[in-house]
Amino acid sequence: MTEARVSVMDRGFIFGDGVYEVIPSYGGYFLRLEQHLDRLDASLAAIRLDNPLARDEWRSVLRRLVGAPPAPDQSVYLQVTRGAPASRDHLCPADVAPTVFACASPIKPRRPEIATEGVACITRPDIRWLHCEIKSTSLIAAVMMRREAEDASALETIMHRDGVVTEGAVSNVLMVASNTIMTPPNSHLLLPGITRELTLLLAEEHGIRYLEEPVPLETLRNADEIWLSSSTREVLPVTRLDGAPVGDGRPGPLWQHMDRLYQAHKEKVRNGDV
Ligand code: PDD
């Protein structure tokens, strides 16, 4: 990988003019590959960039990267930028070929303390733009938020706009009250997370109630449970928010239930059954 080269004029480098995906694979089988590739199509369409690869070409490139089953658990990072024109101009000439980059890296197993102790989060105003549904490589706000979390010994920053929760810097947010999952509805204010969607599907399949509704920050603070979801971290229990305990300060029963369902689903993926 250190020998791969990209032009210094690449618009990903100069403007952050690109989109990306992170797709987990278990045993050589991808989790929700088509949904990730659909979201890539949506991101590319939103920035008006034609997808340089056909769906079949993506499937074969990605499968080649992770290797044939049974392969180690890996996540694939892929990005498409608008390419490398001769000069810097916000307006890109039409004849520039997009740059495609993809690599696979091992998925680190979850630390056992996470299931017993959970993770800490902080809250901050959402300082991002108004097209958060696009999985854009322009991630400066997420980088700043991740640093703020780290400085507060927290894993993630949960963001809100005018007191209404949007999402984490690199994850979606779900909460539990009265045995019901609540999560902000998809909109331009958050990324339509594939893990969030899978969590809601599993809830539906197993008769767990859920609502996709705006979540005021004060409601989040009073939640019985708070969860984060992302492809690389699955569903995580949040047990401290801005230094205060969430619920009784332990990972909750509904998280434990959902985690079992999620792990069972992963096993099916690993065995090529979904
Ligand atoms: N990020 N919201 C944001 C802003 C994200 O960056 C991510 C994931 C999610 C969760 O989406 P999904 O369940 O599809 O992974 C929500 C990836 C993992 C990243 O940037 O590394």
Side-chain angles (χ1 to χ4, degrees), residues 25-29 63-74 270:
S25 68
Y26 301 101
Y29 294 102
R63 291 200 175 117
R64 221 171 340 127
L65 269 177
V66 298
D73 294 354
Q74 293 159 84
R270 199 192 301 285

Side-chain angles (χ1 to χ4, degrees), residues 20 22 39 128 135 167-172 191 193-195 229-232:
Y20 75 107
V22 179
R39 187 172 65 187
R128 302 172 303 166
K135 204 159 171 54
E167 61 181 334
V170 289
S171 59
N172 290 113
L191 188 77
I194 308 294
T195 320
S229 69
S230 91
S231 291
T232 41

Side-chain angles (χ1 to χ4, degrees), residues 26 29 54 56 59 67 82 88 92 96 108 118 123 138 163 183-184 189 198 207 220 224 232 236 245 254 272:
Y26 301 101
Y29 294 102
D56 265 353
R59 289 191 196 106
R82 210 178 299 273
R88 179 182 179 276
C92 187
V96 174
K108 287 188 227 134
T123 58
S138 306
T183 190
L189 299 180
L198 174 58
L220 187 77
D224 298 329
T232 41
L236 293 183
L254 209 51

Side-chain angles (χ1 to χ4, degrees), residues 238-260:
V238 178
T239 47
R240 277 147 292 149
L241 188 64
D242 292 329
V246 175
D248 65 3
R250 320 288 309 162
L254 209 51
W255 175 78
Q256 286 169 5
H257 185 31
M258 180 52 70
D259 188 50
R260 279 193 295 274

Side-chain angles (χ1 to χ4, degrees), residues 21 30-31 48 55 90-91 103 115 129 151 167 181 183 188 196 206 214 221 236 243 260 264 271 274:
E21 280 295 325
F30 285 101
L31 181 77
R48 296 214 251 161
R55 184 64 67 109
H90 287 68
L91 200 57
C103 66
W129 69 333
D151 290 350
E167 61 181 334
I181 301 169
T183 190
H188 61 290
R196 169 193 179 282
H206 292 86
R221 290 200 196 285
L236 293 183
R260 279 193 295 274
N271 296 324
V274 270

Side-chain angles (χ1 to χ4, degrees), residues 17-241:
D17 185 3
V19 298
Y20 75 107
E21 280 295 325
V22 179
I23 315 176
S25 68
Y26 301 101
Y29 294 102
F30 285 101
L31 181 77
R32 302 187 80 67
L33 177 60
E34 300 307 315
Q35 287 81 357
H36 278 279
L37 292 176
D38 286 346
R39 187 172 65 187
L40 174 67
D41 283 341
S43 294
L44 285 167
I47 68 162
R48 296 214 251 161
L49 181 55
D50 289 339
N51 195 331
L53 300 186
R55 184 64 67 109
D56 265 353
E57 292 174 308
W58 275 118
R59 289 191 196 106
S60 81
V61 166
L62 300 177
R63 291 200 175 117
R64 221 171 340 127
L65 269 177
V66 298
D73 294 354
Q74 293 159 84
S75 72
V76 166
Y77 174 82
L78 69 86
Q79 76 168 43
V80 181
T81 76
R82 210 178 299 273
S87 59
R88 179 182 179 276
D89 183 339
H90 287 68
L91 200 57
C92 187
D95 57 353
V96 174
T99 305
V100 176
F101 168 64
C103 66
S105 37
I107 294 181
K108 287 188 227 134
R110 184 171 75 198
R111 284 184 287 112
E113 317 86 82
I114 293 212
T116 52
E117 288 165 25
V119 300
C121 289
I122 57 170
T123 58
R124 290 288 182 273
D126 194 336
I127 55 167
R128 302 172 303 166
W129 69 333
L130 294 173
H131 271 299
C132 298
E133 81 283 12
I134 303 173
K135 204 159 171 54
S136 157
T137 58
S138 306
L139 288 172
I140 190 72
V143 169
M144 290 163 67
M145 291 292 138
R146 215 16 220 100
R147 172 49 55 191
E148 285 212 37
E150 182 74 16
D151 290 350
S153 302
L155 184 82
E156 175 66 306
T157 302
I158 294 178
M159 297 178 287
H160 61 91
R161 284 191 199 265
D162 299 326
V164 180
V165 174
T166 53
E167 61 181 334
V170 289
S171 59
N172 290 113
V173 177
L174 304 97
M175 57 158 272
V176 175
S178 310
N179 279 317
T180 303
I181 301 169
M182 274 175 68
T183 190
N186 283 337
S187 74
H188 61 290
L189 299 180
L190 53 109
L191 188 77
I194 308 294
T195 320
R196 169 193 179 282
E197 184 201 28
L198 174 58
T199 305
L200 298 183
L201 269 174
L202 291 172
E204 176 120 37
E205 260 175 52
H206 292 86
I208 304 170
R209 273 182 302 154
Y210 70 86
L211 294 170
E212 294 177 271
E213 276 185 3
V215 175
L217 188 55
E218 281 321 300
T219 307
L220 187 77
R221 290 200 196 285
N222 293 314
D224 298 329
E225 301 184 25
I226 300 176
W227 307 343
L228 301 175
S229 69
S230 91
S231 291
T232 41
R233 295 184 174 274
E234 307 176 350
V235 183
L236 293 183
V238 178
T239 47
R240 277 147 292 149
L241 188 64

